[in-house]
Amino acid sequence: MVFASIVACKKDTRPNYQFMPNMYEPVGYEAYQDSDAFPQGMEAQLPAEGSIPRGDHMPFEIENTNDGYLLAKETLISPLDSMQIDSEKGKALYDIYCGICHGNKGKGQGKLVKREKILGVPSYDDAGRAITAGSIYHTIYYGKNAMGSYANQLNEEERWQVVEYVLKLKADLEK
Amino acid sequence: MKKSYQSLEDNSTNTMIQVIYRKLTSNFLNLGLVFLLTFSTSLIAQEGDPVKGKTLFNTNCASCHKLDKKMTGPALRNVEARLAEEQGLDREWLNAWIRNSAGMVKSGDAYANKIYNEYNGTAMTAFPQLTDQDISDILAYTAEPPAEKVDGPVPPIDPNQPPTGGVSNKLILGALAILFALLAIALILVRQTLNRFAEAKGIDIAKEDKSVPIWKAFAQNQFLVLVTVIFFLLASAYFVFGYLSQIGVDQGYEPVQPIHYSHRIHAGDNGIDCKYCHSSARVSKHSGIPSLNICMNCHKSIYEVSAETQQEGLDEYGVDYNAEIQKLYKAVGWDDAEQKYTGETEPVKWVRIHNLPDFAYFNHSQHVTVAGVECQTCHGPVEEMEVMYQYSPLTMGWCIDCHRKTEVNVKDNAYYTKIHEQLSKKYGVEKLTAAQMGGLECGKCHY
């Protein structure tokens, strides 16, 4: 009976009671935590401008402009050599991030396009666009037209793996 | 000529009399063909098929243009008529622009340059592959009047209103109650009548002896009292234990989020992969709350849900999905009319649902990427959840259970080759569970 009455009072929109909360709640800052110590009152902050992640990450210096796009299209090439290209990994990432719109074959017929949620996704073998490794990378990094940037979902190496996979799909489409 | 030949073939089995008619029809067909050809050459640039045009528009233009709304490029409703009226530009100009806009900008065409600069120098993709007919079809589609909104004003929803199924249930229950009341009244009446009969006939109704009330009899029986007390103590201990052991367990926790986000629509209906938004689950400790730019990857162009989805949301969940998208725009500072970020953002205070105590360490990437565990194994059928809730208890017993049962996939994984050999020998098994690989060590999660 006691149990029943307590269960009846328990609301699902509110967390349950904790026993000895000081064992549960962290002393340090948790990701996304509220905090007065930072601007905007939250722990999550953008990295300082110009900061570079550790490791051998080189900043991407081509600008997010039409000229930058053309520059990338003509000059940028993949740093991966043939041994580093992992088309399984590229496919896995492509299917998660790109296939939903571009379709798993790259024809621009992903599930969202078929359901008419997002329209006008071009096929990779589109003659007017004539994409290259550099232009694909630039587009993933900054987005283009209606497509947004995927720079925060994929790291540099992953982006190049996806680029290689897109080129493979393009070659398959052009056969 | 092909047609007359065909009709000749079709009629070859017929009798001679029909020959005259056959010639007549073929003549007529020829005439029609000539007529059609002359007519179509004069009209080829104007007459377009709006149905074909819609398909072409959706594949080629819709990534940057909408009919009634500015997007990456301008709205295109009645574009041909508007250009002709306002700028005096004809179909030739449009054809040239569509096939090679960059070339026109370079050649110094005044209006081409104006449009080019108005849209921040975004060059329109060239479409050399579109034929005159294709362009006519597309322009015919853009010239169609906007479709009338079919759905009338949406009836406001009263959350207290019972679902429609409840009415008939209540009716049945009410009818049953009335039936029972009538039965009871009938029984009382029968009893009264029988009593009256008995009185009239002079029969004595035997009165019951006054016995000891049951509670007194119970109190007098000490053994029974003892058993009952023990029973109650045990039962309450059981429930108290049950209550205490669920303290700090948030299974079923279902907070109200600042923006109503439906996993059912995104992950279920549209089949977007969990890792599309929760990308850090692949590579880090946290699965991460997706930042709003990920929402905007799609919602930059999806500014309202389809009419059916909107209606479904209002009817079944009492949620106005379009208003929720507006909340997103407000938070991320997106001006939908101007298609620009205003820079005025306000962080969304999402309510965290899954939260392990500070003394337990959990790493998403180890489970998602290394072990290849499906998200649903722990998070339940998220793709069916309109409102996200905690599916698993996230207690230590629950973790351990899974570690005991789960066999580690060591195939084709060089990292495990050596340790697998040694441990298989130690435990005398072929397949190792996570527990046997050290998944029960205290220090794995508590340190």
Side-chain angles (χ1 to χ4, degrees):
Chain A
M1 268 174 288
V2 178
F3 180 69
S5 59
I6 284 162
V7 165
C9 285
K10 188 172 173 266
K11 258 182 152 173
D12 279 341
T13 48
R14 180 191 77 188
N16 203 349
Y17 299 105
Q18 286 178 346
F19 178 62
M20 292 203 180
N22 53 1
M23 293 280 284
Y24 281 72
E25 303 296 332
V27 182
Y29 292 118
E30 280 257 89
Y32 309 116
Q33 189 182 326
D34 274 335
S35 165
D36 296 334
F38 300 98
Q40 288 191 312
M42 57 182 175
E43 184 268 348
Q45 296 288 312
L46 292 172
E49 203 164 314
S51 49
I52 299 172
R54 285 202 301 188
D56 55 354
H57 293 285
M58 285 306 288
F60 186 54
E61 282 179 334
I62 296 177
E63 282 177 359
N64 180 19
T65 57
N66 293 318
D67 292 339
Y69 177 79
L70 292 175
L71 181 68
K73 188 171 183 173
E74 277 153 26
T75 59
L76 189 62
I77 46 161
S78 171
L80 302 180
D81 61 39
S82 62
M83 288 301 288
Q84 288 168 312
I85 294 171
D86 182 350
S87 74
E88 263 176 48
K89 188 177 176 189
K91 179 177 166 41
L93 292 168
Y94 177 89
D95 288 352
I96 294 174
Y97 296 105
C98 321
I100 192 72
C101 289
H102 287 278
N104 288 352
K105 296 228 159 41
K107 282 188 77 175
Q109 292 294 315
K111 194 165 182 191
L112 288 175
V113 177
K114 284 196 181 133
R115 287 170 61 90
E116 300 198 353
K117 307 290 174 198
I118 284 179
L119 294 171
V121 180
S123 172
Y124 288 138
D125 60 354
D126 186 277
R129 288 176 174 85
I131 53 175
T132 65
S135 78
I136 299 168
Y137 188 84
H138 190 274
T139 306
I140 296 175
Y141 197 91
Y142 291 119
K144 182 142 186 69
N145 296 341
M147 177 174 153
S149 159
Y150 284 75
N152 78 334
Q153 280 141 295
L154 298 163
N155 68 26
E156 189 182 348
E157 191 245 332
E158 288 167 345
R159 285 195 286 273
W160 281 113
Q161 295 288 10
V162 172
V163 168
E164 294 298 337
Y165 188 70
V166 169
L167 285 175
K168 182 170 166 281
L169 288 177
K170 185 185 175 219
D172 288 348
L173 282 171
E174 281 168 350
K175 258 177 211 166
Chain B
M1 287 312 289
K2 206 181 168 189
K3 271 181 186 154
S4 65
Y5 173 70
Q6 221 161 21
S7 64
L8 191 130
E9 217 174 32
D10 289 346
N11 290 331
S12 60
T13 49
N14 286 357
T15 50
M16 290 294 284
I17 308 162
Q18 277 177 319
V19 167
I20 308 157
Y21 293 107
R22 194 188 71 211
K23 240 184 175 169
L24 200 90
T25 39
S26 69
N27 273 345
F28 183 71
L29 273 175
N30 275 345
L31 205 82
L33 202 73
V34 168
F35 184 69
L36 198 88
L37 274 173
T38 42
F39 197 62
S40 57
T41 39
S42 65
L43 278 184
I44 195 155
Q46 276 91 39
E47 281 300 306
D49 179 359
V51 181
K52 269 189 207 154
K54 185 179 180 188
T55 326
L56 284 165
F57 184 89
N58 281 351
T59 38
N60 293 307
C61 321
S63 56
C64 300
H65 295 281
K66 278 198 162 70
L67 285 179
D68 299 306
K69 204 167 149 290
K70 191 172 151 183
M71 215 171 139
T72 312
L76 289 186
R77 175 85 65 197
N78 286 326
V79 60
E80 194 183 10
R82 274 191 288 131
L83 279 181
E85 271 171 38
E86 294 163 20
Q87 310 291 338
L89 296 168
D90 58 359
R91 174 67 68 87
E92 286 301 308
W93 187 90
L94 259 175
N95 281 352
W97 170 263
I98 292 168
R99 296 220 179 93
N100 187 6
S101 69
M104 286 189 74
V105 173
K106 270 195 198 122
S107 74
D109 183 282
Y111 186 67
N113 273 296
K114 183 173 166 270
I115 276 284
Y116 179 70
N117 292 327
E118 196 178 324
Y119 287 88
N120 311 323
T122 307
M124 177 167 139
T125 312
F127 293 95
Q129 75 274 28
L130 292 179
T131 63
D132 279 354
Q133 186 58 43
D134 288 341
I135 294 177
S136 303
D137 290 345
I138 293 171
L139 290 173
Y141 172 63
T142 59
E144 282 198 322
E148 296 279 320
K149 283 243 168 184
V150 258
D151 48 343
V154 179
I157 289 190
D158 182 9
N160 299 325
Q161 197 185 322
T164 37
V167 177
S168 61
N169 272 348
K170 275 195 177 156
L171 263 178
I172 293 169
L173 281 178
L176 272 177
I178 292 171
L179 199 75
F180 276 120
L182 284 176
L183 261 177
I185 292 168
L187 279 175
I188 290 167
L189 284 177
V190 166
R191 194 189 145 93
Q192 273 179 352
T193 338
L194 282 175
N195 275 345
R196 237 179 280 143
F197 272 127
E199 248 172 68
K201 293 209 171 159
I203 300 170
D204 262 347
I205 300 163
K207 292 244 166 72
E208 283 175 31
D209 290 334
K210 278 235 166 176
S211 59
V212 192
I214 189 142
W215 63 270
K216 225 176 207 173
F218 175 76
Q220 279 161 4
N221 187 338
Q222 287 190 343
F223 173 71
L224 213 55
V225 171
L226 194 70
V227 168
T228 321
V229 166
I230 290 174
F231 173 76
F232 270 113
L233 278 177
L234 281 176
S236 45
Y238 174 79
F239 284 118
V240 166
F241 183 77
Y243 173 71
L244 290 178
S245 62
Q246 61 86 47
I247 280 183
V249 176
D250 285 322
Q251 195 170 16
Y253 177 38
E254 191 178 20
V256 179
Q257 301 286 0
I259 296 178
H260 180 96
Y261 172 86
S262 169
H263 279 89
R264 177 184 63 85
I265 294 176
H266 291 85
D269 294 354
N270 288 323
I272 300 171
D273 197 286
C274 309
K275 285 165 267 178
Y276 181 97
C277 306
H278 299 282
S279 56
S280 49
R282 288 187 298 119
V283 290
S284 84
K285 181 186 169 201
H286 293 286
S287 95
I289 300 170
S291 54
L292 295 184
N293 74 306
I294 295 174
C295 308
M296 292 304 288
N297 277 354
C298 297
H299 282 285
K300 213 168 141 185
S301 42
I302 305 176
Y303 59 96
E304 61 178 14
V305 298
S306 67
E308 305 97 75
T309 315
Q310 173 75 353
Q311 200 55 41
E312 189 187 6
L314 287 170
D315 291 346
E316 284 181 36
Y317 306 103
V319 183
D320 182 352
Y321 289 130
N322 286 338
E324 301 298 321
I325 294 180
Q326 292 309 316
K327 277 193 208 168
L328 164 68
Y329 285 168
K330 187 154 179 275
V332 80
W334 172 252
D335 186 337
D336 196 40
E338 289 294 316
Q339 296 282 309
K340 257 194 275 200
Y341 287 104
T342 58
E344 289 166 24
T345 58
E346 39 185 80
V348 181
K349 283 197 170 187
W350 299 106
V351 182
R352 184 170 178 174
I353 302 174
H354 303 82
N355 203 352
L356 283 182
D358 195 35
F359 53 74
Y361 175 82
F362 176 83
N363 191 319
H364 269 95
S365 65
Q366 192 177 7
H367 290 83
V368 175
T369 307
V370 181
V373 178
E374 288 289 320
C375 307
Q376 282 85 345
T377 311
C378 303
H379 292 287
V382 178
E383 69 279 3
E384 292 162 15
M385 295 180 189
E386 177 67 21
V387 179
M388 183 69 196
Y389 61 87
Q390 184 175 325
Y391 172 80
S392 301
L394 301 188
T395 56
M396 182 169 145
W398 170 82
C399 293
I400 299 273
D401 258 1
C402 192
H403 281 189
R404 284 212 173 103
K405 273 185 254 158
T406 309
E407 278 161 2
V408 178
N409 183 16
V410 291
K411 221 182 141 206
D412 299 331
N413 194 337
Y415 180 79
Y416 285 124
T417 318
K418 203 171 164 198
I419 191 138
H420 180 230
E421 260 173 36
Q422 291 173 351
L423 286 173
S424 316
K425 214 179 278 169
K426 184 178 168 193
Y427 291 107
V429 285
E430 192 45 48
K431 290 200 161 173
L432 286 168
T433 61
Q436 283 164 334
M437 306 231 357
L440 295 190
E441 297 293 327
C442 310
K444 285 253 164 167
C445 314
H446 304 292
Y447 53 86

